[in-house]
């Protein structure tokens, strides 16, 4: 994907352009093509996006894979450029221009005569957008580095940012690691107008509607049509391939590509030589079923040692999702095969209820339906005194303890920062600088936003913003950039997203069956083995490998040793974490080792020697 950046101020006479440009290739340099933005009355295609200028000094810039429903705007985009279409959308609709853009994009509109700046990203947030409120205006960009390059910005890491990373294992919008730096969430735009301070506004919110008497067969046909249309649009690049993990979504996307290119669709799969982690056989099943040209690679512990420092340094902010590593090797394999664009299957779980926590919450919600006097006076005092060490009684106690926690907080009951004592984990000075409730408040705010949504749809909407936009999409997009290939997400087509909002919740996850509607709709298209397989995901067996591979263990422990001196976590806790990983649960505590190791490597690569927090 490409990028944009710019600095704008108001000077009392109007909106002045300080610098702006498409800066994807040089993210640290604002205004990579600033001279093209002085174009008036025309459009140009920069190396990273499109720029157009119109009457009254209006300038627009656009990057990504935008889509236009309006026939006139679509024709302008086709015959001139997407920026020309955005310019016309702004001329017609002004502040409502972004509502007319689909696909994935980042965009800005500068209107000096009306002293107005608009900056926005797509509905799901496939593009990031950083911004900072500087004296008299704003600085913005699709990379943190482009905004931090402003002379008024200070590259200062905050305790709040570090705490959010350690809670979420990434930095969820609007949070950033740096002082004064913020991020837009999906479907939001930044507005600077007249003498008013910059403000963030949602230009789009999903409308969840669950009609009575919905017909599953009819909806299933509609879903398949939307998905096929999305894959068709996004695979116009001749050298297009697809990620194929063997899961529902990647298999469906690969199958749609194979229909368009019989016998000539390239699919790329990653395996691990570790029990419980390898899904290569499912990928092979899908490849045989759709007759794709299969490309395979098995990631090794040696690969991890080689690539981890590079991957940690590649992100604008610390990023702790370990599946970035297999994503990178898969994208690099595709690039080596001559692929220019990859189709990724991300999004299906969050649109059609594919995460186990969704149906798990149904079980806990049953507790809340019992009469409150019965729960409070009798059952809760009884169950919460049961001994933890007795198997059945311990499970009953755990159930009640979790059921008492309201959503969305209950989704984080296995979070390290929930299960372990913060006072035992963190240095007192660090902990005293953070709002410990801030991550929870952020989740609650997003969870409550959709109007009249079911519990299931609220959980999925929360995942749109955090699990997808801030985690999975950042993971795949950055690793594809690092490997030198473009990536698009057919499951996140806005028509398919809107359609998913009309599928009744009881169809999406029926009687505890994940992805019930989706599986029924793809029966006969996908192999039965994939429809009925147990969900695995795309995780890296880091914690397991670290026990048996000395170079990997040495790299991790060296990182933890350095991390002890950063005045964030207590050295004794880091030592205890190593013990827990070695002696108790390698996979669970190995994840925490990975998160700390990646933070340390990121800080090392960005020359942040100490905490340097405020």
């Amino acid at each position: 994907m490409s990028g944009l950046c710019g600095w704008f101020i108001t000077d009392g006479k109007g909106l002045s352009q300080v610098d702006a440009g498409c800066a994807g290739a040089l993210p640290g340099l604002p205004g990579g093509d600033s001279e093209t933005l002085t174009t008036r009355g025309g459009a140009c295609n920069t190396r990273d996006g499109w720029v157009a200028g119109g009457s009254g000094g209006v300038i627009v810039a656009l990057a990504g894979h935008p889509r236009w429903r309006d026939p006139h705007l679509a024709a302008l985009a086709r015959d001139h450029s997407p920026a020309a279409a955005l310019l016309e959308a702004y001329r017609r609709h002004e502040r409502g221009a972004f509502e007319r853009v689909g696909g994935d994009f980042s965009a800005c509109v500068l209107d000096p005569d009306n002293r107005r700046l608009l900056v926005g990203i797509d509905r799901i947030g496939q593009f990031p957008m950083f911004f900072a409120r500087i004296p008299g205006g704003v600085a913005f960009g699709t990379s943190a580095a482009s905004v931090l390059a402003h002379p008024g910005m200070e590259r200062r890491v905050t305790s709040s940012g570090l705490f959010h990373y350690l809670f979420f294992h990434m930095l969820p919008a609007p949070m950033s690691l740096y002082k004064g730096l913020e991020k837009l969430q999906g479907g939001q735009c930044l507005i600077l107008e007249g003498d008013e301070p910059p403000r963030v506004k949602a230009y789009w919110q999903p409308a969840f509607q669950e009609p009575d008497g919905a017909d599953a067969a009819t909806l299933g046909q509609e879903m398949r049509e939307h998905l096929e249309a999305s894959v068709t649009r996004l695979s116009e690049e001749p050298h297009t391939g697809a990620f194929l993990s063997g899961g529902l979504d990647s298999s469906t996307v690969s199958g749609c590509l194979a229909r368009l290119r019989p016998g000539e669709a390239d699919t790329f799969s990653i395996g691990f030589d570790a029990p419980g982690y390898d899904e290569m056989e499912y990928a092979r099943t899908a490849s045989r079923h759709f007759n794709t040209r299969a490309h395979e690679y098995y990631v090794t512990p040696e690969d991890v040692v080689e690539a981890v420092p590079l991957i940690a340094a590649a992100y604008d902010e610390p990023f702790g999702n370990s599946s970035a590593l297999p994503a990178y090797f898969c994208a690099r394999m595709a690039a080596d095969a001559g692929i220019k664009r990859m189709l990724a299957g991300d999004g299906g779980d969050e649109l059609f209820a594919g995460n186990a926590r969704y149906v798990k919450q149904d079980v806990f919600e049953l507790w809340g339906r019992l009469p409150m006097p019965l729960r409070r006076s009798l059952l809760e005092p009884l169950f919460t005194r049961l001994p933890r060490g007795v198997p059945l009684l311990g499970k009953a106690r755990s159930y009640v303890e979790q059921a008492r926690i309201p959503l969305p907080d209950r989704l984080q009951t296995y979070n390290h920062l929930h299960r372990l004592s913060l006072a035992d984990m963190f240095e007192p000075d660090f902990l005293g600088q953070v709002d410990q409730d801030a991550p929870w408040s952020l989740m609650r705010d997003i969870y409550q936003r959709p109007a009249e949504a079911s519990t299931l749809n609220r959980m999925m909407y929360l995942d749109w913003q955090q699990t997808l936009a801030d985690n999975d999409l950042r993971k795949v997009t950055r690793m594809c950039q690092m490997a030198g290939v473009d990536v698009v997400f057919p499951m996140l087509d806005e028509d398919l997203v809107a359609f998913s909002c009309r599928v009744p919740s009881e169809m999406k996850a029926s009687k505890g069956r994940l992805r019930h509607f989706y599986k029924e709709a793809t029966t006969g298209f996908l192999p039965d083995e994939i429809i009925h397989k147990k969900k695995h995901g795309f995780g890296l067996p880091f914690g397991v490998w670290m026990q048996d591979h000395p170079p990997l263990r040495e790299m991790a422990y060296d990182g933890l040793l350095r991390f002890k001196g950063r005045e964030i976590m207590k050295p004794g806790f880091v030592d205890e974490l190593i013990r827990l990983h070695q002696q108790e649960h390698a996979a669970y505590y190995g994840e925490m080792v990975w998160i700390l190791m990646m933070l340390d490597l990121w800080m090392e690569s960005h020359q942040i020697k100490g905490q340097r927090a405020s």
Side-chain angles (χ1 to χ4, degrees):
M1 288 187 179
S2 45
L4 304 174
C5 72
W7 305 345
F8 297 95
I9 61 172
T10 55
D11 58 9
K13 299 177 182 178
L15 194 64
S16 297
Q17 175 189 341
V18 176
D19 201 357
C22 300
L26 298 170
L29 300 178
D33 282 297
S34 59
E35 69 278 2
T36 64
L37 280 168
T38 62
T39 302
R40 296 294 186 269
C44 60
N45 185 353
T46 75
R47 66 190 167 200
D48 296 307
W50 301 270
V51 179
S55 61
V58 176
I59 300 171
V60 304
L62 181 68
H65 310 91
R67 180 188 172 206
W68 310 87
R69 283 199 190 85
D70 182 289
H72 177 61
L73 297 179
L76 278 174
R78 182 183 64 247
D79 298 338
H80 297 279
S81 78
L86 178 59
L87 187 64
E88 176 64 12
Y90 178 71
R91 187 187 68 81
R92 290 185 183 184
H93 306 286
E94 294 193 343
R95 298 179 195 85
F98 294 147
E99 298 171 31
R100 274 73 190 175
V101 192
D104 64 85
F105 69 89
S106 65
C108 66
V109 178
L110 171 63
D111 183 351
D113 284 358
N114 289 302
R115 302 179 65 197
R116 180 183 298 147
L117 168 70
L118 306 176
V119 179
I121 56 175
D122 60 84
R123 300 176 183 192
I124 297 297
Q126 298 181 56
F127 261 92
M129 181 60 75
F130 296 83
F131 68 94
R133 306 166 197 265
I134 58 177
V138 295
F140 70 90
T142 47
S143 71
S146 63
V147 182
L148 293 170
H150 187 277
M153 292 296 295
E154 181 182 6
R155 296 180 69 95
R156 189 173 186 185
V157 170
T158 67
S159 295
S160 179
L162 290 167
F163 188 73
H164 276 78
Y165 166 77
L166 293 168
F167 188 96
F168 291 108
H169 313 164
M170 47 78 184
L171 273 298
M175 287 300 305
S176 173
L177 189 71
Y178 294 99
K179 182 180 180 181
L181 196 61
E182 303 172 59
K183 290 184 282 193
L184 292 180
Q185 295 174 333
Q188 289 185 339
C189 64
L190 174 69
I191 303 173
L192 178 63
E193 198 164 30
D195 296 323
E196 297 294 321
R199 68 184 190 275
V200 173
K201 176 185 176 183
Y203 71 83
W204 176 83
Q205 279 284 344
F208 290 103
Q209 300 172 344
E210 304 192 23
D212 295 330
D215 181 69
T218 302
L219 290 174
Q221 176 64 28
E222 187 177 352
M223 186 199 76
R224 292 191 299 271
E225 291 172 356
H226 283 309
L227 188 51
E228 288 169 5
S230 178
V231 171
T232 300
R233 279 194 302 273
L234 295 173
S235 60
E236 292 176 350
E237 156 64 48
H239 301 94
T240 295
F243 287 99
L244 179 56
S245 67
L248 287 170
D249 298 320
S250 67
S251 297
T252 305
V253 170
S254 296
C256 291
L257 181 64
R259 279 192 170 181
L260 296 172
R261 304 177 182 185
E264 298 181 351
D266 291 286
T267 55
F268 298 84
S269 306
I270 290 294
F272 306 102
D273 187 13
Y277 288 87
D278 187 38
E279 290 199 283
M280 187 66 82
E281 280 306 315
Y282 290 108
R284 290 169 180 163
T285 296
S287 178
R288 288 192 297 267
H289 183 78
F290 293 117
N291 190 29
T292 71
R293 295 190 296 217
H295 305 257
E296 300 178 358
Y297 184 77
Y298 269 80
V299 173
T300 66
E302 290 77 15
D303 289 329
V304 179
V305 174
E306 170 200 341
V308 157
L310 302 176
I311 290 172
Y315 286 92
D316 268 342
E317 300 177 299
F319 189 76
N321 187 334
S322 63
S323 59
L325 192 137
Y328 167 66
F329 279 99
C330 200
R332 196 172 78 174
M333 177 172 48
D336 291 342
I339 295 296
K340 304 297 183 185
R341 174 178 292 178
M342 287 288 281
L343 306 179
D346 300 79
D349 284 338
E350 291 75 21
L351 295 183
F352 298 107
N355 292 317
R357 59 184 174 273
Y358 300 151
V359 296
K360 184 178 181 180
Q361 299 313 311
D362 278 344
V363 180
F364 290 121
E365 290 294 287
L366 294 174
W367 178 260
R369 298 184 191 123
L370 295 175
M372 183 178 293
L374 177 64
R375 284 186 283 122
R376 293 282 176 86
S377 301
L378 178 62
L379 297 179
E380 288 183 8
L382 173 63
F383 279 88
T384 53
R385 292 188 178 94
L386 294 173
R388 296 183 186 277
V390 180
L392 290 179
L393 298 181
K395 285 186 176 181
R397 175 173 177 167
S398 176
Y399 169 81
V400 173
E401 289 175 341
Q402 292 185 67
R404 295 170 64 186
I405 302 172
L407 287 170
D409 294 23
R410 197 190 305 136
L411 297 170
Q412 295 290 340
T413 53
Y414 288 95
N415 191 309
H416 296 95
L417 270 63
H418 171 74
R419 294 177 69 87
L420 304 175
S421 165
L422 297 183
D424 292 340
M425 295 174 71
F426 292 100
E427 292 284 5
D429 287 347
F430 175 86
L431 201 58
Q433 297 179 61
V434 303
D435 177 359
Q436 299 176 26
D437 194 52
W440 303 95
S441 296
L442 175 58
M443 288 190 302
R444 294 165 194 156
D445 173 66
I446 297 172
Y447 180 81
Q448 294 298 337
R449 283 181 197 170
E452 300 180 359
S454 68
T455 298
L456 174 63
N457 285 330
R458 289 187 187 279
M459 287 190 289
M460 291 195 295
Y461 176 71
L462 174 61
D463 278 343
W464 293 4
Q465 294 288 354
Q466 294 188 337
T467 305
L468 268 177
D470 295 323
N471 197 333
D472 292 341
L473 302 188
R474 300 293 171 262
K475 169 193 72 180
V476 178
T477 299
R478 190 69 190 100
M479 291 301 93
C480 284
Q481 288 175 335
M482 190 173 164
V485 296
D486 186 27
V487 63
V488 290
F489 303 93
M491 296 294 299
L492 299 180
D493 173 83
E494 68 271 14
D495 288 340
L496 193 58
V497 171
F499 164 79
S500 75
C501 296
R502 294 190 285 109
V503 178
S505 296
E506 62 268 20
M507 282 188 184
K508 291 176 182 174
S510 178
K511 298 178 181 178
R513 186 192 188 201
L514 291 171
R515 300 288 291 271
H516 174 77
F517 165 77
Y518 190 92
K519 290 175 180 178
E520 293 297 305
T522 53
T523 296
F525 177 67
L526 294 178
D528 288 344
E529 301 95 312
I530 288 174
I531 288 177
H532 300 298
K533 70 182 282 292
K534 183 179 179 181
K535 183 177 177 63
H536 275 248
F538 202 38
L540 180 75
F542 172 74
V544 177
W545 277 351
M546 204 174 84
Q547 288 186 313
D548 302 321
H549 191 73
L552 188 59
R553 185 167 59 248
E554 181 179 339
M555 179 183 70
Y557 288 172
D558 283 350
L560 294 186
L561 182 62
R562 276 195 309 269
F563 190 74
K564 285 184 179 182
R566 296 195 184 275
E567 301 176 352
I568 299 170
M569 286 185 159
K570 292 181 176 180
F573 170 76
V574 177
D575 292 336
E576 176 65 6
L577 178 63
I578 293 173
R579 185 196 69 78
L580 290 169
H581 169 260
Q582 292 175 339
Q583 300 178 12
E584 295 198 15
H585 199 301
Y588 180 75
Y589 292 106
E591 181 186 18
M592 190 65 178
V593 171
W594 175 276
I595 291 160
L596 298 186
M597 177 189 73
M598 295 301 281
L599 175 57
D600 176 80
L601 288 171
W602 183 90
M603 296 177 81
E604 192 75 7
S605 68
H606 286 73
Q607 298 181 341
I608 298 173
K609 299 302 182 183
Q611 179 188 328
R612 296 182 60 188
S614 64

